[in-house]
Amino acid sequence: MPTYIVNTYDIIDFDMYQNYLQKVNPLLKKFGAKVLAMKSNPKVLEGKAKMMNIILEFESETSINNFYNDSEYKDIIELRLKSTTNCSIIILNKFEPN
């Protein structure tokens, strides 16, 4: 069942973040992730948006866990952690109405 990551954060080091993006994109492809939506500084309907907002689709929650726990990702996760702040990552399953 398709499963989604919603990731929001503020970027504090743009050069380091660009380095992270260059390294994470091949890994996302390796694990079959699709970027469904990505926007920096989005329009706000309510509340306060974070600088970067991304929705990724994976085949399953298992695929997400395999990506997140992969040794190659573990090698670069510090780039994201050090270049961003106020990070939220949530996992959502595809909604199937009864």
Side-chain angles (χ1 to χ4, degrees), residues 2-98:
T3 306
Y4 306 90
I5 289 180
V6 179
N7 193 351
T8 63
Y9 45 84
D10 294 319
I11 301 168
I12 56 174
D13 184 327
F14 287 92
D15 291 335
M16 187 181 297
Y17 183 73
Q18 285 300 318
N19 190 14
Y20 167 76
L21 284 180
Q22 289 174 358
K23 293 180 179 187
V24 78
N25 282 330
L27 284 176
L28 290 170
K29 287 181 184 179
K30 174 181 171 181
F31 287 95
K34 297 177 189 170
V35 178
L36 298 183
M38 185 167 95
K39 180 74 174 166
S40 58
N41 299 314
K43 289 183 182 179
V44 177
L45 291 177
E46 191 172 312
K48 183 177 185 221
K50 295 179 184 171
M51 183 182 295
M52 180 58 74
N53 304 272
I54 303 169
I55 300 172
L56 298 170
E57 179 183 71
F58 286 81
E59 288 180 5
S60 64
E61 191 167 339
T62 299
S63 296
I64 291 171
N65 291 328
N66 289 342
F67 162 74
Y68 193 80
N69 294 307
D70 186 78
S71 62
E72 287 182 80
Y73 188 65
K74 293 298 182 195
D75 289 344
I76 64 169
I77 194 171
E78 284 298 315
L79 292 172
R80 182 181 53 78
L81 295 174
K82 289 179 179 178
S83 65
T84 64
T85 188
N86 298 324
C87 185
S88 301
I89 301 175
I90 60 171
I91 297 174
L92 301 173
N93 293 323
K94 182 177 180 181
F95 178 71
E96 298 285 344
N98 294 333

